[in-house]
């Protein structure tokens, strides 16, 4: 197995910097669109053969150092008994969670019964790749999932979830606890199926101020990290707009902290210290730069990160209009200059 990513996650030396891209299996690839044109997104997530095929596509085309299983962070939420619609305009919950009765009705599902297709997709991906690169499993963080559930979808103000936190904090904690009790077995199932590393997406955690993040997100992230690390796999925690929360994120004990593009890589490393690995942090829109400028941004990040304990990635997911050749150029540049960085005096 190409184990660069696993070594980097544990701050061990590697021959070059490992790289993968959030949403690397998706709409910017024509081979993905060919499959997606015949099946709804949610159905694709639940079809192990097709999900595995889509997961493998960027490994073949781009040469990235890991495969992240094709799925969605809201998959385990649907298994809790809430109707979910996933379309081109994003997720939608027709019956959002707003009351104590709504939360009481949510189940803590058996992961195999409710989401076993994710584990099967991981097994089929490993077989298709002959375990040539590690498979990344993932889940959303409790706050992020709760935000979708309470708001009924995406939001600009997050008013409804924040009102729940501030007006009914005990009820909010009940929801977060139920989500955590669902997510830990869900991730453990992915590890048992062969995921070699897991990432927790607290995509909307940056919408909370430090006091509220520490109160409403940090305890649940920390529990998830500890229980997943007990399985022996490294754990990555990532969120957007999280630069002010880096000291708090370090307290989760995660092996790797993902950085978005809003902070310089060396500043992130300074805040976090050298005893945690980092991931990131190219702005996804930099993939639209001329090649020479894109290469310069790659080199700058690599130099700021240093040769040990860095996994190159975007600061958020790759965008649908992106040219796949730009993504391939990015991956090649990371590998080329990552090697050169290790060879320089």
């Amino acid at each position: 197995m190409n184990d660069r990513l696993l070594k980097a996650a544990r701050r061990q030396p590697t021959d070059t910097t490992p790289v993968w891209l959030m949403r690397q299996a998706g709409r910017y690839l024509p081979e993905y669109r060919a499959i997606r044109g015949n099946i709804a997104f949610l159905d694709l997530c639940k079809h192990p053969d097709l999900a595995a095929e889509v997961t493998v596509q960027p490994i073949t085309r781009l040469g990235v150092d890991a495969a992240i299983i094709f799925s969605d962070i809201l998959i385990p939420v649907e298994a809790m008994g809430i109707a979910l619609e996933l379309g081109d305009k994003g997720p939608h919950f027709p019956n959002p969670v707003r009351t104590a009765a709504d939360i009481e009705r949510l189940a803590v599902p058996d992961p195999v019964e409710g989401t076993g297709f994710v584990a099967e997709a991981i097994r089929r991906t490993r077989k298709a790749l002959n375990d040539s690169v590690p498979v990344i499993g993932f889940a959303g963080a409790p706050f992020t999932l709760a935000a979708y559930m309470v708001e009924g979808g995406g939001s600009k103000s997050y008013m409804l979830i924040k009102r729940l936190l501030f007006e009914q904090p005990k009820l909010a904690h009940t929801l977060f606890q139920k989500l955590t009790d669902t997510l830990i077995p869900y991730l453990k199932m992915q590890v048992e199926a062969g995921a070699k590393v897991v990432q927790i997406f607290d995509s909307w955690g940056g919408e909370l101020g430090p006091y509220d993040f520490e109160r409403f997100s940090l305890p649940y992230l920390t529990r998830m990290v500890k229980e997943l690390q007990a399985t022996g796999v490294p754990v990555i925690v990532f969120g957007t707009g999280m630069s002010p929360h880096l000291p708090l994120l370090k307290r989760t004990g995660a092996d790797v902290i993902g950085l978005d593009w809003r902070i310089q890589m060396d500043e992130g490393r300074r805040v976090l210290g050298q005893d945690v690995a980092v991931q990131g942090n190219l702005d996804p829109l930099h993939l639209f730069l001329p090649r020479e400028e894109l290469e310069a941004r790659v080199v700058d990040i690599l130099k700021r990160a240093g040769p040990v304990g860095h996994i190159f990635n975007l600061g958020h997911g790759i965008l649908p209009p992106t040219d796949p050749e730009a993504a391939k150029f990015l991956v090649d540049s990371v590998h080329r200059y990552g090697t050169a960085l290790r060879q320089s005096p």
Side-chain angles (χ1 to χ4, degrees), residues 196-255:
K196 298 297 184 184
V197 58
V198 296
Q199 176 160 309
I200 302 170
F201 288 85
D202 203 356
S203 305
W204 308 128
E207 296 297 323
L208 296 173
Y211 177 86
D212 297 315
F213 183 85
E214 185 174 17
R215 186 181 181 193
F216 292 107
S217 186
L218 183 62
Y220 304 100
L221 284 174
T222 302
R223 183 184 158 204
M224 289 176 69
V225 168
K226 299 302 182 188
E227 293 207 29
L228 267 297
Q229 285 174 329
T231 69
V233 302
V235 179
I236 306 168
V237 173
F238 169 78
T240 58
M242 294 285 232
S243 300
H245 300 340
L246 291 183
L248 293 171
L249 286 176
K250 185 173 181 180
R251 284 169 47 186
T252 65
D255 300 276

Side-chain angles (χ1 to χ4, degrees), residues 12-333:
Q12 298 170 356
T14 55
D15 61 331
T16 190
T17 301
V19 52
W20 68 280
L21 309 176
M22 286 182 279
R23 295 184 187 158
Q24 66 187 19
R27 288 179 289 170
Y28 74 106
L29 292 177
E31 53 267 46
Y32 168 83
R33 293 196 298 269
I35 293 174
R36 178 69 174 80
N38 299 313
I39 188 170
F41 180 86
L42 197 54
D43 292 336
L44 178 54
C45 292
K46 296 177 180 180
H47 194 300
D49 279 331
L50 292 179
E53 182 178 347
V54 168
T55 300
V56 170
Q57 286 173 350
I59 314 302
T60 305
R61 179 185 275 262
L62 305 182
V64 287
D65 295 298
I68 184 165
I69 195 65
F70 182 82
S71 188
D72 190 88
I73 61 171
L74 296 174
I75 291 292
V77 172
E78 185 188 41
M80 296 175 75
I82 179 171
L84 168 64
E85 298 172 358
L86 284 174
D88 292 335
K89 294 184 179 181
H92 174 62
F93 290 102
N95 301 300
V97 175
R98 302 274 171 83
T99 68
D102 293 336
I103 294 171
E104 177 65 27
R105 282 193 292 269
L106 294 172
V108 176
D110 178 280
V112 175
E113 290 182 6
T115 54
F117 49 86
V118 176
E120 184 58 28
I122 290 173
R123 286 189 286 267
R124 296 186 190 191
T125 296
R126 291 178 56 209
K127 183 177 180 181
L129 291 171
N130 196 27
D131 279 333
S132 57
V133 297
V135 176
I136 302 171
F138 71 90
F143 172 76
T144 288
L145 299 185
Y148 278 114
M149 296 162 73
V150 173
E151 297 285 345
S155 175
K156 292 183 178 179
S157 67
Y158 298 88
M159 180 181 71
L160 297 175
I161 182 63
K162 287 187 176 184
R163 285 191 63 180
L164 179 66
L165 304 187
F166 304 152
E167 294 177 350
Q168 302 182 77
K170 289 184 179 180
L171 188 59
H173 281 296
T174 299
L175 176 57
F176 297 149
Q177 188 65 53
K178 210 166 216 181
L179 282 162
T180 305
D181 290 343
T182 296
L183 294 167
I184 290 172
Y186 175 66
L187 284 170
K188 286 184 175 179
M189 176 191 72
Q190 295 182 51
V191 173
E192 290 168 3
K196 298 297 184 184
V197 58
V198 296
Q199 176 160 309
I200 302 170
F201 288 85
D202 203 356
S203 305
W204 308 128
E207 296 297 323
L208 296 173
Y211 177 86
D212 297 315
F213 183 85
E214 185 174 17
R215 186 181 181 193
F216 292 107
S217 186
L218 183 62
Y220 304 100
L221 284 174
T222 302
R223 183 184 158 204
M224 289 176 69
V225 168
K226 299 302 182 188
E227 293 207 29
L228 267 297
Q229 285 174 329
T231 69
V233 302
V235 179
I236 306 168
V237 173
F238 169 78
T240 58
M242 294 285 232
S243 300
H245 300 340
L246 291 183
L248 293 171
L249 286 176
K250 185 173 181 180
R251 284 169 47 186
T252 65
D255 300 276
V256 186
I257 303 296
L259 306 178
D260 71 8
W261 67 92
R262 296 174 178 89
I263 187 171
Q264 293 281 26
M265 178 59 72
D266 52 351
E267 175 62 11
R269 299 215 79 160
R270 185 192 66 78
V271 173
L272 290 167
Q274 294 300 313
D275 57 341
V276 61
V278 290
Q279 179 175 278
N281 64 338
L282 186 78
D283 185 333
L285 281 166
H286 283 165
L287 286 165
F288 295 89
L289 286 167
R291 296 291 192 265
E292 183 177 337
E293 293 184 40
L294 173 57
E295 187 175 69
R297 305 298 175 96
V298 168
V299 172
D300 181 66
I301 290 171
L302 290 172
K303 287 180 176 179
R304 291 176 184 274
V308 178
H310 176 220
I311 300 165
F312 198 101
N313 207 316
L314 304 177
H316 202 262
I318 192 168
L319 297 165
T322 303
D323 180 357
E325 289 305 310
K328 179 68 167 64
F329 179 85
L330 168 66
V331 172
D332 291 344
S333 297

